[in-house]
């Protein structure tokens, strides 16, 4: 490996950025989840206060103590006596929960009854006890410049922080969390089994060409990969909710078959359906990648050895798909566990752990507890993944080259069954998108079907729905954020890929591992990490990034860089190293080599990386929901909030706009690619 | 007992005719080879026997029973793939025992059978390996054992050796031949390597463009080709224009040559005379009326023999051979006048085909296997 010294500044620079914006947030979140704060005992309070007072010159100190103790009222004195007794190691004999009048009298009596020596000791402590119990806040501010941040916080708040697993334990021990966790596990379990199974069957059917019009079916299954949040849930409620077009409009009102206020989609089954449809595309793509390279000869070999289609699937295809099954199931499980959008829009009475996390974050700003919950959400899936991955290690194999599919005609039952299954999924997806498109132009879904474009323009399209933003303004904010993040992310990804491939070392491997982390961890975790890490970076509140556009750009950029890095590394591995060495021998500098030799080759990877950051920037939800400040509205969050407050028209309008932007950009890139391809061929 | 028969079988893929009305019978217990250039339809024919491809026309019979519409997993025929197609998630043991486990054999039975097969194909001690932990040759042995495990009456092999290097290829093909013979099963073997075909087959069918041109024993195919293409494709052949004078006589240029009576007297249209280089003998001078006159234009040393290039008076170029010993005893200079007498028993008259005309326009040596292939 050529380890040119010239590369080190670049590696160090990029490395610092990656550590700062991926490593630090995740580490900070882990740390924060284990920070437990507890109130200090009376004795500790007195110690802390005494220490702080020692910073003052003696005369000032004495004056202050005298002044405070003189101003203390009867109740404050009583409490000081109790604290001083404790600090001297004496019992507090009266009932601390009794009425204050009684307590004040009891305190005076206790003091009287003490032996003279002890009484003197306790009384000497009293001014300090008064200060410790009632004057710590002014004292802290008076000493602010002379105290460290921690000392200041401790003195002012009277609490101490220690490391512990208390937040994690709460999730297990408290009934409220336990119930939510049980719901989450049930939901994630059902969703994972259904999604993985359906995706596996669909990929099998499409890749073995058992499904009719397999190419079109694949396209239809992949389109929802680009999707704003809660699209499925929103459409499902619009169709099957209490006022749903099908449940209320058709079955209840027109046909009178059901009562839509009872027979609707809300609840566990509705959430499962929404989650299955939302997570099917990413699971499908995993199986599709795996099976597209699978050798059809294996099916034929199985058949020639006596295995019919069903047993071939069971004994050959399924074991081959095992790594995909593990990967897809882990992915779906984590997605389902950390999903709060669907349960909150469509679940209503079904508390899930992710929803509790959302409440703790948004409602109580209890970041440590939220961090602990976030980790609870992914720990089970990740540990199962690592375990299973270890077991299957020796069987690992490479499928080389593209091999022909099997030509064995499949039985009619399989053809019909799988075609029906796959095409009804595609059809359902189409209905969902059609519903969203229609909802964007209807005044009030289910009540007032008149045409309107008001959802796109005005702040308050419909009396009764209040919205904090004008029209689809959040979409433009998201567009701006994504447009800044995308090219930066694409370019940085290539730089990282190049350094990792060309200057392979422990350092660059560690960096690529860091870059991959956001791919494994759900957005919630990454988002909370940013919140924790950049609230007061390096202990300086002045540097805080929270509530700025910058933090959103950074989060989106670093959270999605891995796609560009993966694509770039794959392409660079095919680039002949000698080309670069030739350029180096001709005197090209590091930058010139990168620009002249590497960049032209990895153009597609840059494009892919940029596109991915862009699309995710437009539609990502869970990472930014806790990050956007009070002054910024991102489209994904606004869509979720609109849908959750049943203002579907606005949610639909913004979703439609995002989809249009994404498809327009993709189509534009296609055209440019084709055009530049033709230009190159013409040369 | 188990013949494999194709009756007027045809298959087209879109516009391409892959197999065009093939009639072929593979006798029970014989080692039968399909030989032909790339794309001639060998694989397609074999895959129709296995049931992987449905024929558009005709029937496939095994032991007289029509299996054309039987799905592959009910045919009970063994298949060995060029790419091995071992199950990557299963060990050698599980691969070989796959068919037995599938049909529900007892564990002990499977174990003894797998062990016996491993010994038969020389895999002893590798039972617990995964396919990716084996060499190419070992993988193909596993594939062979796996196909043989359920004791199929017919074994189909599609270029099983073409991914291996020359030395292993030669060794393994002898082993395949021995094993198939030992087990007494019928084998249909596809290859485009004529040397391989000649060395291990009981019978060979030479195919071109989806048709079987000639089927017969290796020596028949080599010594008495019935088609100009067969002559050229198998071994090295000379072809020159000729006119038929009678059942055992043709005219080439101004010479009349004796030939093997071959039922060619009635042939209409242009005809050619074909023979192997080793069936011509060279004499100095050019006056012999029953030999072809020519000039020596080149010689290449092939080890045991020296191959000579002769420009005939007609403008055609042909090959002849001399043993290395004779040649070095009396080497000839280029330009030497010679006459070439052809052994009448191996001089065959055939209808000319497209290629025998175009090739004469090409510079010598002609492309393809003729110049590189060596006769056995
Ligand atoms: N599944 C298919 N779809 C379309 N065309 C096919 C298919 N299989 C084979 N063909 C075509 O049919 C013809 C015969 O193919 P086949 O594979 O039988 O040839 P082959 O004799 O085995 O050649 P090779 O020696 O290269 O393996 C070729 O022209 C090929 O392109
Ligand atoms: Mg073939």
């Amino acid at each position: 490996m050529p380890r040119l010294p010239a590369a080190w500044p670049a590696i160090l620079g990029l490395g610092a950025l990656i550590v700062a914006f991926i490593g630090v947030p995740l580490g900070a979140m882990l740390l924060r989840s284990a920070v437990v704060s507890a109130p200090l005992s009376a004795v500790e309070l007195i110690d802390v206060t005494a220490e702080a007072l020692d910073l003052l010159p003696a005369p000032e100190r004495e004056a202050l103590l005298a002044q405070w103790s003189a101003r203390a009222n009867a109740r404050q004195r009583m409490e000081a006596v109790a604290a001083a007794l404790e600090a001297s190691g004496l019992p507090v004999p009266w009932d601390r929960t009794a009425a204050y009048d009684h307590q004040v009298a009891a305190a005076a009596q206790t003091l009287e009854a003490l032996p003279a020596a002890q009484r003197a000791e306790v009384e000497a402590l009293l001014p300090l006890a008064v200060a410790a119990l009632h004057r710590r806040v002014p004292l802290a501010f008076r000493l602010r410049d002379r105290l460290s941040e921690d000392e200041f916080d401790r003195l002012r708040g009277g609490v101490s922080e220690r490391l512990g697993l208390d937040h994690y334990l709460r999730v297990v021990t408290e009934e409220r969390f336990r119930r939510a966790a049980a719901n989450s596990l049930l939901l994630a379990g059902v969703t994972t089994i259904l999604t993985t199974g359906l995706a596996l069957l669909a990929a099998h059917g499409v890749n073995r060409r058992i499904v009719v019009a397999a190419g079109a079916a694949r396209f239809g299954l992949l389109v929802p990969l680009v999707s704003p949040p809660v699209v499925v849930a929103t459409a499902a409620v619009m169709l099957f909710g209490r006022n749903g077009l099908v449940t209320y409009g058709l079955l209840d009102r027109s046909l009178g078959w059901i009562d839509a206020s009872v027979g609707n989609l809300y609840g566990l089954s509705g959430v499962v359906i929404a989650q299955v449809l939302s997570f099917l595309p990413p699971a499908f793509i995993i199986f599709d990648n795996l099976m597209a390279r699978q050798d059809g000869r294996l099916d034929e070999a199985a058949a020639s050895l006596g295995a019919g289609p069903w047993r071939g699937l069971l004994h050959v295809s399924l074991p081959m798909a095992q790594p995909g099954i593990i990967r897809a199931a882990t992915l779906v499980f984590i997605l389902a566990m950390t999903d709060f959008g669907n349960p909150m829009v469509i679940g209503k009475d079904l508390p899930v752990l992710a929803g509790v996390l959302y409440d703790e974050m948004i409602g109580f700003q209890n970041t440590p507890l939220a961090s602990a919950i976030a980790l609870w959400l992914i720990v089970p899936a990740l540990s199962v993944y690592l375990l299973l991955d270890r077991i299957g290690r020796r069987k690992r194999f490479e499928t080389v080259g593209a091999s022909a599919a099997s030509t064995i005609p499949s039985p009619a039952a399989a053809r019909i069954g799988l075609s029906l299954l796959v095409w009804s999924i595609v059809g359902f997806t189409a209905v969902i998108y059609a519903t969203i498109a229609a909802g964007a132009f209807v005044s009030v879904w289910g009540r007032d079907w008149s045409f309107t474009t008001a959802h796109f323009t005005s702040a308050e399209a419909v009396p009764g729905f209040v919205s904090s933003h004008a029209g689809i303004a959040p979409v433009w904010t998201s567009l701006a954020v994504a447009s800044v993040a995308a090219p930066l992310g694409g370019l940085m990804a290539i730089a990282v890929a190049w350094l990792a491939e060309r200057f392979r070392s422990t350092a660059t491997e560690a960096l690529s591992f860091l870059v991959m982390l956001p791919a494994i961890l759900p957005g919630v975790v990454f988002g909370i990490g940013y919140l924790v890490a950049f609230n007061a970076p390096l202990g300086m509140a002045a540097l805080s990034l929270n509530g700025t556009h910058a933090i959103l750009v950074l989060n989106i950029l670093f959270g999605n860089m891995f796609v560009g890095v993966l694509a770039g590394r794959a392409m660079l591995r095919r680039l002949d190293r000698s080309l670069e060495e030739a350029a180096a021998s001709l005197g090209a500098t590091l930058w010139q080599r990168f620009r002249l030799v590497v960049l032209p080759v990895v153009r597609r990877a840059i494009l892919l990386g940029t596109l991915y950051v862009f699309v995710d920037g437009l539609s990502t939800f869970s990472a930014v929901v806790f990050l956007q400040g009070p002054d910024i509205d991102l489209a994904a969050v606004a869509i979720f909030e609109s849908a959750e407050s049943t203002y579907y028209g606005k949610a639909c309008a913004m979703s439609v706009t995002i989809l249009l932007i994404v498809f327009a950009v993709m189509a534009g890139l296609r055209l440019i690619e084709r055009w530049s391809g033709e230009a190159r061929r013409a040369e | 007992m188990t013949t494999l028969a194709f009756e007027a079988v045809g298959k087209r893929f879109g516009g391409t005719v892959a197999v065009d009305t093939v009639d072929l019978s593979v006798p029970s217990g014989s080692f039968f080879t399909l030989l032909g250039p790339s794309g001639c339809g060998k694989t397609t024919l074999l895959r129709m026997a296995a049931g992987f491809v449905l024929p558009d026309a005709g029937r496939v019979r095994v032991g007289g029973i029509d299996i054309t519409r039987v799905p592959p997993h009910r045919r009970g025929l063994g298949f060995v793939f060029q790419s091995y197609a071992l199950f990557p998630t299963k060990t050698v043991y599980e691969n070989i025992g796959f068919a037995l486990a599938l049909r529900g054999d007892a564990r002990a039975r499977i174990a003894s059978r797998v062990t016996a097969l491993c010994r038969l194909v020389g895999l002893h001690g590798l039972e617990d390996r995964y396919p990716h932990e084996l060499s190419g040759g070992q993988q193909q042995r596993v594939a062979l054992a796996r196909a043989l495990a359920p004791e199929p009456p017919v074994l189909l092999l599609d270029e099983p050796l073409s991914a291996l290097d020359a030395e292993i290829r030669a060794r393994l093909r002898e082993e395949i031949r021995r094993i198939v013979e030992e087990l007494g099963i019928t084998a249909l073997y596809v290859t485009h390597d004529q040397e391989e075909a000649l060395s291990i087959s009981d019978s060979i069918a030479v195919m071109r463009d989806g048709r079987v041109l000639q089927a017969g024993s290796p020596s028949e195919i080599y010594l008495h080709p019935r088609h100009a293409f067969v002559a050229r494709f198998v071994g090295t052949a000379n072809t020159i224009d000729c006119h038929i004078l009678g059942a055992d006589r043709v005219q080439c240029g101004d010479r009349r040559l004796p030939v093997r009576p071959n039922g060619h007297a009635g042939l209409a249209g242009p005809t050619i005379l074909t023979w192997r280089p080793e069936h011509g003998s060279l004499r100095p001078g050019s006056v012999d009326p029953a030999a072809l006159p020519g000039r020596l234009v080149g010689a290449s040393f092939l080890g045991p023999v020296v191959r000579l290039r002769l420009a005939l008076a007609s403008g055609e170029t042909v090959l002849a051979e001399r043993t290395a010993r004779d040649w070095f005893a009396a080497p000839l200079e280029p330009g030497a006048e010679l006459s070439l007498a052809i052994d009448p028993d191996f001089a065959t008259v055939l209808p000319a085909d497209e290629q025998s005309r175009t090739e004469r326009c090409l510079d010598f040596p002609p492309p393809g296997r003729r110049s590189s292939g060596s006769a056995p």
Side-chain angles (χ1 to χ4, degrees):
Chain A
M1 304 280 136
R3 197 171 292 179
L4 307 183
W8 283 105
I11 293 179
L12 283 181
L14 271 180
L17 282 178
I18 290 171
V19 169
F21 291 109
I22 296 181
V24 169
L26 293 175
M29 197 204 82
L30 262 183
L31 202 62
R32 178 58 72 90
S33 71
V35 169
V36 185
S37 42
L40 294 170
S41 69
V43 183
E44 288 165 328
L45 280 177
I46 289 175
D47 284 349
V48 168
T49 314
E51 256 171 51
L53 280 168
D54 282 345
L55 293 173
L56 292 170
E60 192 184 344
R61 181 172 64 215
E62 297 311 324
L64 262 180
L65 282 174
Q67 189 192 355
W68 284 338
S69 103
R71 281 198 204 150
N73 60 28
R75 183 182 130 202
Q76 287 172 340
R77 278 188 70 83
M78 175 273 291
E79 281 168 349
V81 170
L85 283 171
E86 268 180 55
S88 319
L90 297 170
V92 179
W94 72 90
D95 176 12
R96 288 300 316 266
T97 57
Y100 284 126
D101 297 347
H102 298 282
Q103 286 200 51
V104 169
Q109 280 171 10
T110 310
L111 215 50
E112 298 278 325
L114 282 177
Q118 281 180 352
R119 179 172 174 180
E121 192 187 338
V122 171
E123 280 184 339
L125 263 178
L126 276 180
L128 192 56
V130 169
L133 290 181
H134 306 293
R135 302 291 177 195
R136 280 195 333 272
V137 179
L139 180 63
F141 280 100
R142 182 183 276 251
L143 290 171
R144 180 154 212 177
D145 331 329
R146 275 177 270 180
L147 293 172
S148 73
E149 173 134 1
D150 279 351
E151 286 170 328
F152 175 80
D153 281 344
R154 195 162 42 151
L155 184 60
R156 193 180 75 135
V159 291
S160 72
E161 298 197 325
R162 64 180 169 80
L163 293 181
L165 295 178
D166 303 38
H167 299 303
Y168 293 92
L169 290 176
R170 274 185 75 187
V171 177
V172 189
T173 50
E174 281 180 34
E175 175 62 19
R176 168 169 83 103
F177 295 131
R178 271 222 305 265
R179 236 200 359 260
N183 284 338
S184 281
L185 284 173
L186 175 68
L187 180 64
V190 175
T191 297
T192 302
I193 292 171
L194 284 178
T195 311
T196 312
L198 284 177
L200 179 68
L201 280 178
H204 180 79
V206 166
N207 280 291
R208 304 295 154 91
R209 318 228 140 239
I210 303 172
V211 170
V212 291
R218 172 185 280 132
F219 181 77
L221 286 168
L222 286 178
V223 164
L225 209 51
V226 182
S227 161
V230 297
V231 156
V232 181
T234 307
V237 170
M238 288 162 72
L239 292 175
F240 305 109
R242 272 178 208 113
N243 293 311
L245 183 60
V246 176
T247 33
Y248 184 69
L250 181 69
L251 298 179
D252 183 335
R253 288 283 288 277
S254 305
L255 298 173
W257 287 357
I258 63 165
D259 176 3
S261 59
V262 183
N264 58 51
L265 201 67
Y266 287 111
L268 181 69
S269 52
V271 183
V272 167
I273 291 175
Q275 285 192 336
V276 169
L277 283 173
S278 309
F279 306 148
L280 199 63
F284 174 78
I285 216 171
I286 289 178
F287 289 118
D288 195 44
N289 280 337
L290 198 78
M291 292 179 175
R293 285 177 293 137
Q294 196 161 315
D295 190 356
R297 299 293 100 93
L298 291 179
D299 299 325
E300 294 170 357
S304 75
L305 294 166
W310 173 239
R311 294 213 284 176
L313 174 68
L314 201 66
H315 294 295
V316 177
S317 305
L318 219 51
M320 294 279 293
Q322 187 197 325
I325 295 175
I326 296 173
R327 241 176 296 151
T330 311
L331 175 75
V332 174
F333 196 84
I334 290 182
L335 285 176
M337 283 293 277
T338 58
D339 172 31
F340 45 82
N342 288 314
M344 286 177 85
V345 169
I346 205 173
K348 298 302 181 198
D349 307 322
L350 186 79
V352 293
L353 212 44
V356 172
L357 183 155
Y358 180 84
D359 290 339
E360 289 293 332
M361 264 326 267
I362 299 289
F364 307 105
Q365 267 134 41
N366 192 347
T367 328
L369 179 59
S371 304
I373 297 178
L375 285 165
W376 265 124
L377 293 178
I378 57 169
V379 163
L382 273 189
S383 32
V384 169
Y385 175 78
L386 292 177
L387 191 79
L388 291 180
D389 194 51
R390 198 148 272 276
I391 294 172
R393 188 144 295 177
R394 200 171 152 226
K395 291 186 190 171
R396 207 163 272 176
F397 50 87
E398 299 258 319
T399 13
V400 268
S403 343
S406 157
T407 53
I408 302 179
S410 33
R415 278 206 307 276
I416 295 169
L418 275 179
S419 298
L420 269 180
L421 177 80
V422 167
W423 278 105
S424 41
I425 293 173
V426 174
F428 209 83
T429 312
V431 167
I432 281 167
Y433 281 85
T435 306
I436 295 291
F441 296 99
V442 165
S443 287
V444 186
W445 187 268
R447 265 181 280 156
D448 176 0
W449 294 102
S450 58
F451 175 85
T452 179
T453 55
H455 302 305
F456 289 88
T457 50
S458 77
E460 201 169 335
V462 181
F465 289 119
V466 186
S467 175
S468 57
H469 32 71
I472 52 168
V475 174
W476 310 131
T477 313
S478 284
L479 187 61
V481 167
S483 306
V484 174
L488 289 177
L491 281 176
M492 257 182 81
I494 287 309
V496 171
W498 183 57
L499 291 176
E501 275 303 306
R502 282 301 175 262
F503 307 98
R504 215 172 283 179
S505 64
T506 329
T508 55
E509 282 310 308
L511 280 191
S512 16
F513 174 74
L514 272 185
V515 169
M516 292 310 298
L517 271 183
I520 316 168
L521 301 175
V524 181
V525 170
F526 204 54
I528 296 181
Y530 266 57
L531 194 68
V532 174
F534 303 120
N535 190 25
L538 309 173
M540 284 178 276
L543 291 183
S544 175
L545 291 177
N546 284 359
T548 64
H549 288 93
I551 199 172
L552 298 172
V553 168
L554 287 167
N555 183 280
I556 289 167
L557 191 166
F558 284 97
N560 297 297
M561 205 164 79
F562 63 91
V563 175
V565 174
L566 283 180
R569 289 189 74 161
M571 283 183 193
L572 283 169
R573 237 168 260 156
R574 278 182 274 147
L575 169 68
D576 193 352
R577 181 188 299 268
S578 53
L579 258 179
E580 269 185 69
E581 283 164 356
S585 72
L586 293 172
T589 64
L590 190 72
W591 166 243
Q592 283 172 330
R593 273 191 288 149
F594 181 67
R595 191 167 55 90
L596 299 175
V597 183
V598 179
L599 270 191
V601 178
V602 295
R603 262 208 3 235
R604 281 188 64 88
I606 298 182
L607 220 58
L608 183 69
T610 306
L611 185 68
Y612 192 85
V613 177
F614 180 77
V615 169
D616 200 75
L618 279 185
S619 54
T620 189
F621 172 50
S622 54
V624 296
V625 60
F626 305 129
L627 279 184
Q628 70 165 36
D631 308 327
I632 303 175
D633 282 307
L634 285 183
V637 184
I639 290 173
F640 167 71
E641 285 168 356
S642 302
E644 212 219 354
S645 59
T646 71
Y647 188 174
Y648 301 123
K650 184 147 267 180
C652 290
M654 286 187 280
S655 299
V656 165
T657 317
I658 287 184
L659 286 170
L660 286 179
I661 294 174
V662 169
F663 288 136
V665 167
M666 283 188 170
L669 282 182
R670 264 275 156 86
L671 278 183
I672 293 175
E673 280 236 312
R674 187 176 301 170
W675 174 76
S676 69
E678 268 163 22
R680 229 173 313 139
R681 266 195 298 283
E683 267 169 26
Chain B
M1 34 126 210
T2 337
T3 52
L4 168 65
F6 299 92
E7 295 172 2
V9 165
K11 177 72 190 177
R12 40 168 65 240
F13 293 104
T16 17
V17 179
V19 171
D20 185 5
T21 335
V22 164
D23 280 291
L24 202 63
S25 180
V26 179
S28 177
S30 72
F31 199 108
F32 199 105
T33 298
L34 292 174
L35 177 65
S38 187
C40 70
K42 312 177 292 286
T43 297
T44 306
L45 192 61
L46 199 71
R47 289 165 62 78
M48 286 193 284
F52 303 152
V53 174
L54 274 184
D56 300 330
R59 326 195 154 281
V60 182
R61 290 182 193 278
V62 170
I65 298 160
D66 183 355
I67 58 158
T68 318
R69 301 271 143 192
V70 176
H73 62 280
R74 299 228 184 81
R75 295 194 180 193
L77 308 180
F79 200 102
V80 179
F81 296 85
Q82 178 178 0
S83 56
Y84 322 137
L86 298 179
F87 304 129
T89 55
K90 299 192 188 331
T91 58
V92 168
Y93 183 95
E94 291 163 339
N95 264 284
I96 299 177
F98 183 77
L100 308 177
L102 215 55
R103 74 182 181 202
D105 281 8
R107 243 163 231 263
R109 229 187 92 83
I110 297 177
S112 70
R113 178 99 182 105
V114 171
T115 312
L117 279 163
C118 279
R119 197 158 289 140
L120 182 71
V121 300
L123 279 172
H124 201 61
L126 300 179
E127 286 90 338
D128 290 331
R129 298 265 189 99
Y130 282 94
H132 67 93
E133 298 167 336
L134 297 176
S135 74
Q138 288 167 334
Q139 290 188 46
Q140 197 55 291
R141 286 165 200 267
V142 178
L144 183 64
R146 182 181 68 177
L148 291 173
E151 302 177 60
V154 177
L155 185 63
L156 307 165
L157 307 102
D158 187 8
E159 307 202 33
L161 305 177
S162 61
L164 303 172
D165 63 44
E167 195 196 334
I168 299 176
R169 199 155 63 208
R171 206 170 63 223
L172 208 49
R173 78 180 180 216
E174 297 306 329
E175 277 185 50
I176 290 178
R177 168 79 229 212
R178 169 183 63 81
I179 290 166
V180 164
E181 210 164 317
E182 245 174 69
L183 301 177
I185 51 185
T186 312
L188 183 56
Y189 186 100
V190 162
T191 181
H192 60 241
D193 181 340
Q194 41 111 3
E195 185 194 335
E196 195 168 287
L198 291 172
S199 69
I200 58 172
S201 318
D202 295 326
S203 306
I204 298 176
V206 180
M207 291 183 68
R208 189 185 65 176
D209 296 341
R211 287 171 173 278
V212 172
L213 297 181
Q214 184 178 355
S217 70
S219 60
E220 244 174 86
I221 298 280
Y222 184 77
L223 296 176
H224 305 301
R226 286 209 309 273
H227 197 286
F229 174 80
V230 175
R232 273 193 314 270
F233 190 75
V234 181
T236 308
N238 290 310
T239 53
I240 59 173
D241 285 338
C242 68
H243 289 290
I244 298 170
L245 297 178
D248 58 354
R249 202 147 284 270
V250 294
Q251 171 144 16
C252 299
D254 58 350
R255 305 292 161 110
R256 296 171 175 224
L257 306 178
V259 297
R260 194 170 80 97
N262 191 28
H264 55 252
L267 283 180
T271 48
I272 54 162
L273 179 66
T274 178
W275 73 99
R276 304 282 173 197
E278 65 266 28
H279 295 140
S281 45
L282 288 170
R283 263 161 257 156
S286 56
V287 287
D288 184 344
L292 296 167
R295 254 175 333 101
L296 184 66
V297 292
S300 43
F301 176 55
L302 300 182
V305 297
V306 173
R307 183 155 288 173
L308 307 176
R309 268 189 290 149
L310 234 54
L312 299 182
S314 60
E316 292 156 317
T317 308
V318 295
L319 298 175
E321 268 176 15
R322 221 161 220 213
T323 63
R325 173 199 290 233
D326 289 355
W327 171 261
F328 289 115
L332 294 165
E333 289 299 314
E337 299 272 320
L338 295 166
S339 54
L340 176 68
I342 305 164
D343 184 340
D345 282 346
F346 300 106
T348 312
V349 178
L350 296 170
D353 67 351
E354 205 47 34
Q355 210 180 345
S356 43
R357 305 179 152 275
T358 51
E359 257 186 28
R360 245 167 284 134
C361 312
L362 301 172
D363 203 10
F364 192 83
R369 296 195 171 77
R370 281 168 59 179
S371 51
S372 62
S374 53

